[in-house]
Amino acid sequence: VVAQAIRQVADKGIEKEALTEWSFGDLPQQYQQQKGNYQVRAFPALIDKKDSVAIKLFDDEFEAQDAHRQGLRRLLLLNIPSPVKHLQQALPNKAKLAMYFNPFGQVQILIDDIIAAAVQQLLDQKALDVRNQAQFELAKDWVRQELNPTAEQIALKVEQILTLYQSIKKRLKGKISLDIAFAMSDIQNQLDKLVFKGFVEACGWQRLADVARYLKAIETRVEKLPIDPTRDRLHMQSINKVQAALTAQLAKVPRAMPTPPALIEARWMIEEYRVSCFAQVLGTAYPISEKRILNQLTEQS
């Protein structure tokens, strides 16, 4: 019923398949129409179909924005030379090896992830929200010009992250004494949240240097752990407290809604807090404490 209603609101024939260029005029942010006592709204967006894009109507604005971001990236990539060849030539062997032995198997998955993050970085830098052909041409020229060096910079950061990740994984193997078992399982859990299939685009180009610092902090923690397991345990109690508070707030977010920015920020504040607990020498991006995180969360509730 909803799908039918949103189709009636929008222009006829707005939904299209198998598009490989911007050949469909303007794509409005939304359509709305009064139906009896209530307004029906439809949100058109490009959606990524890998070797083409489609236009689809959504009834949810956030879902449409998310799909449109991915669809726009795909349409740009279909219209410019791929940076893969440049990466093969420009990246040092060390970087290629780190990517080849990445923890998710196929190297292509990681390269696609890096390229997606690079395109997103370029769109963000010029604050481009593309909704018509003229904007698309501007975006295409800008991305074509800057994609190779941008993808290369991101790939080098990813290499650093993967190298740290592999080194920590090695240290987690082998026999673990009981007094550090909880810490080790906490570290494993933290690693899984930082480095996973699709992490480059998911954590965003702005945070890659931070992720490397969080991994260095884990290394420092692993080194100190056998020397003073009690101190580590006290820090962990505090971290578990703020993590539980964040989890409780996340549980209140309705399923159809995106995670509020304040809660996403709190998730990264916890990473900064871990740095301040376990590896103060590395420094944090801003002053951080258990209290600051709890304040951030109570403002959200």
Side-chain angles (χ1 to χ4, degrees):
V1 181
V2 174
Q4 230 174 347
I6 64 174
R7 277 191 188 83
Q8 287 167 353
V9 172
D11 294 345
K12 252 210 162 353
I14 174 78
E15 292 195 299
K16 291 182 168 65
E17 292 283 335
L19 300 162
T20 53
E21 47 194 47
W22 196 290
S23 54
F24 41 82
D26 292 2
L27 196 64
Q29 294 271 10
Q30 61 167 326
Y31 293 99
Q32 55 182 25
Q33 205 180 12
Q34 198 71 26
K35 288 263 176 197
N37 296 336
Y38 62 99
Q39 276 208 335
V40 181
R41 291 178 3 164
F43 303 94
L46 292 177
I47 56 171
D48 180 0
K49 296 281 197 173
K50 301 292 173 244
D51 52 2
S52 67
V53 299
I55 296 174
K56 184 179 170 214
L57 290 168
F58 289 84
D59 59 348
D60 181 86
E61 185 176 4
F62 301 106
E63 220 181 313
Q65 282 169 354
D66 196 43
H68 187 67
R69 230 187 12 251
Q70 294 173 44
L72 174 60
R73 286 201 305 254
R74 174 63 63 204
L75 194 56
L76 285 165
L77 288 169
L78 289 170
N79 282 278
I80 57 179
S82 163
V84 170
K85 209 181 204 150
H86 172 81
L87 291 176
Q88 281 167 344
Q89 290 164 349
L91 289 176
N93 284 338
K94 193 162 74 82
K96 285 187 240 183
L97 275 172
M99 284 162 70
Y100 195 76
F101 293 107
N102 77 76
F104 335 108
Q106 290 172 309
V107 72
Q108 193 54 50
I109 293 172
L110 183 63
I111 288 171
D112 288 345
D113 194 18
I114 288 168
I115 293 170
V119 175
Q120 196 56 53
Q121 174 174 344
L122 293 169
L123 291 171
D124 291 347
Q125 281 171 342
K126 289 246 194 257
L128 294 170
D129 176 31
V130 176
R131 290 280 166 181
N132 63 41
Q133 189 164 5
Q135 290 169 341
F136 181 74
E137 292 303 324
L138 276 174
K140 188 172 79 175
D141 290 346
W142 163 243
V143 173
R144 176 193 280 133
Q145 185 187 319
E146 297 296 331
L147 186 55
N148 284 354
T150 308
E152 188 184 332
Q153 282 167 357
I154 289 179
L156 290 170
K157 286 178 185 159
V158 167
E159 176 225 331
Q160 191 192 9
I161 288 169
L162 291 176
T163 307
L164 287 160
Y165 175 88
Q166 302 289 17
S167 131
I168 296 163
K169 286 295 260 192
K170 276 196 191 108
R171 291 176 163 205
L172 295 182
K173 288 195 174 89
K175 281 183 79 98
I176 291 171
S177 62
L178 207 57
D179 59 344
I180 62 168
F182 279 124
M184 288 304 212
S185 106
D186 176 58
I187 288 167
Q188 183 57 65
N189 193 13
Q190 186 190 2
L191 274 181
D192 292 343
K193 284 187 182 159
L194 289 172
V195 181
F196 51 87
K197 195 192 275 189
F199 81 93
V200 186
E201 201 239 317
C203 82
W205 59 274
Q206 308 93 321
R207 292 197 196 272
L208 291 172
D210 293 330
V211 171
R213 186 165 46 89
Y214 303 149
L215 292 169
K216 284 181 190 150
I218 296 177
E219 275 198 318
T220 307
R221 179 184 182 185
V222 174
E223 277 157 22
K224 289 182 184 169
L225 190 52
I227 306 157
D228 196 349
T230 313
R231 187 158 177 266
D232 189 281
R233 229 182 346 263
L234 289 171
H235 284 316
M236 228 171 85
Q237 282 169 358
S238 175
I239 289 162
N240 288 343
K241 183 176 161 185
V242 288
Q243 187 62 56
L246 172 60
T247 306
Q249 288 292 358
L250 287 169
K252 291 182 192 167
V253 180
R255 278 197 52 187
M257 290 293 284
T259 306
L263 296 186
I264 295 173
E265 192 48 46
R267 176 254 183 282
W268 294 106
M269 284 171 85
I270 294 174
E271 291 295 343
E272 291 292 338
Y273 185 44
R274 284 174 171 278
V275 175
S276 87
C277 288
F278 299 118
Q280 228 163 6
V281 291
L282 293 174
T284 56
Y286 40 78
I288 189 76
S289 63
E290 180 186 305
K291 190 163 177 264
R292 279 173 197 258
I293 299 170
L294 293 173
N295 286 346
Q296 167 90 358
L297 291 168
T298 46
E299 279 165 26
Q300 177 58 32
S301 59

